[in-house]
Amino acid sequence: MAEVDLSDMETYPNELLALYINAYNCLCIGHVTRYLKDNRGELPSSVTKTTPPSQKGKEIWDVDAGVVGGQNLSLNDIEHVILRSKWDDPRIHASIVCASASCPNLRAEAFVPHRLNEQMDDQAKTWVSDVTKGLKVDNDEGNGGSQYFSRIFLWFEGDFQKSGGPVA
């Protein structure tokens, strides 16, 4: 991942997308495992608490997470500068995992170029159908028939609107 030649991958968008999704997920897990190691196995109360003491004042998303293709990147770099700017695909939000309880679950396999669309579709469906993470519709008229959406739909509303909305 650190030494991959990105110029060779520019003509293979599925390979590049799979690389960056996997990189985000690996590097986010890296933040958590570093925290566990530094804190004698104690779990953080939130992924936002995993910022290293040497980076005090920075959000974990802005801390250098690792090297991809020779570039030292933060999670925000991968998500916003690379993924969201190069690919107009809201399924990315279901595929990258920020290690928060409300984020999509980490997939049990790496994303691979030849199955990428299938994997991203499955990841999005799994995330949205999880009433603790994606979407919950309460049809109980006594409760007013409430709808609950992951905050990801709020934060990135524009990404989902381009594709017809969160459950299109």
Side-chain angles (χ1 to χ4, degrees), residues 28 30-32 34-36 38-39 44-64 75:
C28 188
H31 279 313
V32 174
R34 178 198 28 78
Y35 179 92
L36 289 168
D38 293 347
N39 292 276
S45 59
S46 167
V47 69
T48 61
K49 306 293 185 200
T50 63
T51 302
S54 63
Q55 300 290 311
K56 190 172 182 163
K58 279 189 171 182
E59 294 286 332
I60 192 62
W61 321 113
D62 296 317
V63 171
D64 285 343
L75 295 175

Side-chain angles (χ1 to χ4, degrees), residues 37-111:
K37 180 182 170 212
D38 293 347
N39 292 276
R40 295 182 283 285
E42 180 183 329
L43 284 171
S45 59
S46 167
V47 69
T48 61
K49 306 293 185 200
T50 63
T51 302
S54 63
Q55 300 290 311
K56 190 172 182 163
K58 279 189 171 182
E59 294 286 332
I60 192 62
W61 321 113
D62 296 317
V63 171
D64 285 343
V67 179
V68 180
Q71 287 186 287
N72 205 1
L73 300 172
S74 70
L75 295 175
N76 267 343
D77 291 335
I78 296 171
E79 180 177 6
H80 303 292
V81 177
I82 298 169
L83 288 171
R84 293 182 61 232
S85 70
K86 287 185 185 248
W87 291 275
D88 187 16
D89 190 336
R91 297 176 304 166
I92 288 170
H93 297 291
S95 301
I96 59 174
V97 179
C98 71
S100 295
S102 61
C103 284
N105 289 330
L106 182 63
R107 193 167 182 83
E109 63 184 358
F111 287 89

